[in-house]
Amino acid sequence: MQETTRITCSQPTKHAMNVTNFLPFDHKYWKNSDNVCRSKLLIMSLKSSSNLSPPWQVLVLVANHLDPKTLAIASCVCKSWSISMSSDHLWQPICAAQYPSLCTLHAAASAAVSYLKLYTLGYMSEKRRVRKPLKPNLSLQDIFFAIDINNKSSCIATTIKPGCELEVDKNGVFRFDIDVKRDKSVAFDPTDNLRITWNVVMKGFESVFTMMECRGKGNFVLGLQGWFSKELPLPGCCLSGGASGLVADLRLGLRISGGKVVVEKMSVGVLSVVSWRYVWVDDVLRYLQHFLLP
Amino acid sequence: MSSPEEKTLILKSSDNEEFLVKESVAVQCITIKNLVEDGCDLDAIPLLNVDSKNLAWIIEFMEKYADSTSTDAEKKDFDTEFVKKPFNDVLGLILAANYLNFPALMDVMCDACANEMKLWSVEQVREKFHIQNDYTEEEEKAVRAENFWAFE
C-alpha cells in the first residue's frame, strides 16, 4: 500500500528507488528520469503478484544483489517475476562483468538480444569448451586383433587375439603384449623384408579396420626387437585431409633359433605423435568407432 | 545555540514510540539528513513507514556504524549477528532502510537476503514470498527449460 507522506521535502531525494515512497505515480518527476521509468516498469510488473506477500518493493531492491543463478531460479517462480527477473537492467552489469566481449552483440541484430540471453550463451560456451567426450560405444570385448607377419616365402608369425583376453596396461593406455604360440611362429632371417598386417575385427565379422599394413625390414633396435609403425588415417568426420597425429605401433620380441630368429612376442599399441605417448584405451575405442560401427 | 554534534533528534515511529538519537548518528539516513538540512522544525520527526521494532534495530545499526572506534572486523561481526533474524524481519528492514535511504544498512540486509535466496529452490522462493504459481504445467516446463543452466 502506498501512503502519501506528511513530511515535507523541498527536493525529492536522488535515489530513484526511494522516490517511490514519496511521490505519487502521476508526479512529473517520473516522466523526467529514464532510470526511474525502468524501475517503474519493474515495479508495475511485480504489482500484479500476490498482495499477501512481503511487499513487492523489497524484491526490486534485492534483485540488484542477486547472483545470476538465483535470478534465473527466481524467473521460474511466476509470470510477473519472470518479466522482472529477466530485465536488461539487472542482467547488463552481470553480463558486462562476466562476458564483456559478448555485450557488443546486444545491438548486433535488428532486434536487440537481451542481456539474459547473452549471459546464457556465455555460460554455455564456457561449459561446452571443456566438455568431456562420451563413453565409447565400442569395448574391447567387441573386437579381436588379427596379426600376420610374412616374409617373401611364408608366414612367419600369426596370431588372433580376442579383445577380452588382452591384458590391459596398468596405466590404462592402448598398448598390449601378446604372446605368439610356438606352433604359429617360424624361424626367419632378420635381414628379410617383412610384410606386417594388423587388423582389428568386429566380433561376428561385421566390419574390419586395418590398423597397419606395411613392409620393410623393421628397425631392429635394442637387441632382439623389431619395430614397425604406420600413421593412422583421420576419421574424416570433421577435418578433411591432414594428419591424425596417431600412429599404430608394433614391436616384435624375437628369440634366436639356429642362425635365425623366431617371433615369440608382439607388442601393439597406438601412439600420439603430438605428445609421444600411448593413447588412452577409451580414446582409441572412440577412434575405432568411426571405422567399425555403422 | 548548541553545536551540531550535541544536538539530539526525536524520531517517532509509525506506532508513536519516540526514540532519542544524536543528530550526527541519525544523519546516516539521508532522508533524515535532508529534512534537517531543509530546516525541518517539527518537535519529533514522524517516520510513517517505520514501526518501533524496525526503528529500534535501525538505531542500533546506526550507532554501531557511527562509532569511530569500531574496526572493520568488529563491524563485520556485528553485521553477521545483526542479520540473524527471521526472513520477514529482514525484508521489513530492507524496506525501512530504503524509506530512510540508509545505504549501509540496505547493502548489509540485501546481501543477507540474497545469500539466503541463493540456497533456495523455486518452490522455496514461492513459499517464503507467498507467491502463487500462475504457470500452467507446459508454461512452467518451458520457463525451466529456458533457465536450465541454473538447475545444474
Side-chain angles (χ1 to χ4, degrees):
Chain A
M1 275 201 301
Q2 288 284 54
E3 275 188 287
T4 43
T5 177
R6 275 173 273 152
I7 301 177
T8 52
C9 276
S10 51
Q11 270 176 324
T13 56
K14 292 210 171 78
H15 194 275
M17 294 291 182
N18 198 36
V19 176
T20 71
N21 289 311
F22 291 100
L23 301 173
F25 281 127
D26 56 5
H27 193 279
K28 67 175 184 324
Y29 182 84
W30 288 108
K31 302 189 176 84
N32 292 340
S33 168
D34 210 338
N35 204 18
V36 168
C37 280
R38 264 180 273 148
S39 34
K40 182 181 175 185
L41 273 166
L42 203 64
I43 291 160
M44 296 308 279
S45 71
L46 283 172
K47 250 187 147 164
S48 48
S49 57
S50 171
N51 293 322
L52 300 172
S53 56
W56 44 264
Q57 295 102 315
V58 138
L59 200 60
V60 169
L61 299 169
V62 173
N64 293 303
H65 293 250
L66 293 176
D67 67 306
K69 270 210 169 134
T70 315
L71 273 176
I73 298 252
S75 311
C76 302
V77 166
C78 68
K79 288 182 186 168
S80 50
W81 277 48
S82 169
I83 301 171
S84 30
M85 295 295 149
S86 45
S87 160
D88 263 356
H89 92 276
L90 285 175
W91 285 96
Q92 192 270 331
I94 294 174
C95 211
Q98 247 180 289
Y99 306 115
S101 57
L102 291 182
C103 287
T104 53
L105 295 174
H106 177 66
S110 51
V113 182
S114 76
Y115 282 107
L116 168 54
K117 175 95 190 165
L118 289 174
Y119 180 87
T120 317
L121 289 176
Y123 183 94
M124 289 316 297
S125 156
E126 260 180 15
K127 283 215 101 175
R128 288 173 92 156
R129 256 186 118 89
V130 293
R131 200 157 57 172
K132 284 206 171 101
L134 302 166
K135 279 220 76 100
N137 293 327
L138 202 61
S139 80
L140 287 175
Q141 332 296 331
D142 300 325
I143 57 176
F144 60 92
F145 292 165
I147 307 173
D148 291 306
I149 306 175
N150 292 284
N151 66 3
K152 210 162 70 170
S153 43
S154 59
C155 174
I156 58 159
T158 178
T159 184
I160 293 184
K161 190 83 173 181
C164 50
E165 287 177 27
L166 289 169
E167 250 181 68
V168 181
D169 178 272
K170 64 172 155 52
N171 294 316
V173 294
F174 195 91
R175 186 184 173 282
F176 307 100
D177 289 324
I178 305 171
D179 290 321
V180 180
K181 299 194 178 91
R182 278 187 174 239
D183 58 336
K184 301 282 185 192
S185 183
V186 167
F188 68 101
D189 187 329
T191 61
D192 280 353
N193 256 321
L194 299 175
R195 197 185 89 224
I196 315 253
T197 320
W198 170 17
N199 282 313
V200 175
V201 190
M202 268 296 273
K203 66 176 178 206
F205 295 92
E206 286 172 21
S207 51
V208 176
F209 176 66
T210 306
M211 288 291 265
M212 179 192 277
E213 182 155 29
C214 65
R215 291 161 198 269
K217 293 195 181 184
N219 298 313
F220 284 89
V221 295
L222 299 172
L224 293 168
Q225 266 195 13
W227 180 43
F228 298 84
S229 68
K230 193 79 188 279
E231 196 184 321
L232 287 168
L234 265 180
C237 51
C238 326
L239 304 165
S240 50
S244 65
L246 298 176
V247 155
D249 175 75
L250 186 144
R251 288 159 207 248
L252 300 175
L254 306 169
R255 157 177 69 81
I256 300 177
S257 167
K260 301 192 178 181
V261 289
V262 176
V263 176
E264 61 174 6
K265 190 165 94 166
M266 295 183 203
S267 288
V268 293
V270 174
L271 269 174
S272 158
V273 297
V274 174
S275 60
W276 285 113
R277 284 187 164 150
Y278 285 103
V279 180
W280 303 118
V281 171
D282 275 359
D283 286 345
V284 179
L285 288 172
R286 271 184 288 265
Y287 172 82
L288 288 172
Q289 261 172 229
H290 288 101
F291 301 100
L292 290 176
L293 294 181
Chain B
M1 177 137 147
S2 45
S3 57
E5 269 71 66
E6 294 168 359
K7 188 167 176 209
T8 319
L9 298 174
I10 303 173
L11 300 176
K12 192 157 83 168
S13 68
S14 56
D15 44 350
N16 288 321
E17 223 183 285
E18 295 190 352
F19 296 81
L20 282 166
V21 187
K22 282 203 207 130
E23 186 180 301
S24 55
V25 170
V27 295
Q28 286 178 92
C29 293
I30 313 243
T31 309
I32 298 179
K33 178 164 177 277
N34 287 341
L35 282 173
V36 166
E37 283 175 3
D38 288 348
C40 177
D41 59 355
L42 300 165
D43 289 331
I45 299 177
L47 301 171
L48 297 166
N49 280 4
V50 188
D51 64 15
S52 52
K53 179 173 87 168
N54 282 311
L55 191 51
W57 279 330
I58 291 172
I59 292 171
E60 183 194 340
F61 193 91
M62 282 201 289
E63 287 182 340
K64 184 72 185 183
Y65 269 62
D67 185 5
S68 50
T69 61
S70 50
T71 65
D72 279 344
E74 281 173 14
K75 281 186 185 155
K76 267 213 115 187
D77 289 335
F78 172 79
D79 290 346
T80 314
E81 283 310 305
F82 188 80
V83 301
K84 286 181 185 167
K85 292 178 163 62
F87 188 65
N88 280 324
D89 287 342
V90 170
L91 298 182
L93 272 170
I94 291 176
L95 284 173
N98 179 52
Y99 177 81
L100 294 171
N101 198 346
F102 186 1
L105 180 59
M106 276 284 286
D107 280 339
V108 169
M109 299 314 294
C110 283
D111 279 340
C113 181
N115 284 333
E116 271 218 59
M117 284 180 76
K118 263 187 207 164
L119 308 167
W120 294 346
S121 66
V122 177
E123 290 78 14
Q124 279 171 307
V125 174
R126 283 189 191 130
E127 199 193 300
K128 298 271 185 171
F129 282 89
H130 309 292
I131 303 286
Q132 190 72 339
N133 180 11
D134 56 355
Y135 282 125
T136 65
E137 239 188 88
E138 293 86 34
E139 285 171 344
E140 181 157 354
K141 250 197 215 164
V143 78
R144 278 184 189 241
E146 256 175 52
N147 293 297
F148 66 94
W149 53 274
F151 294 96
E152 278 170 11

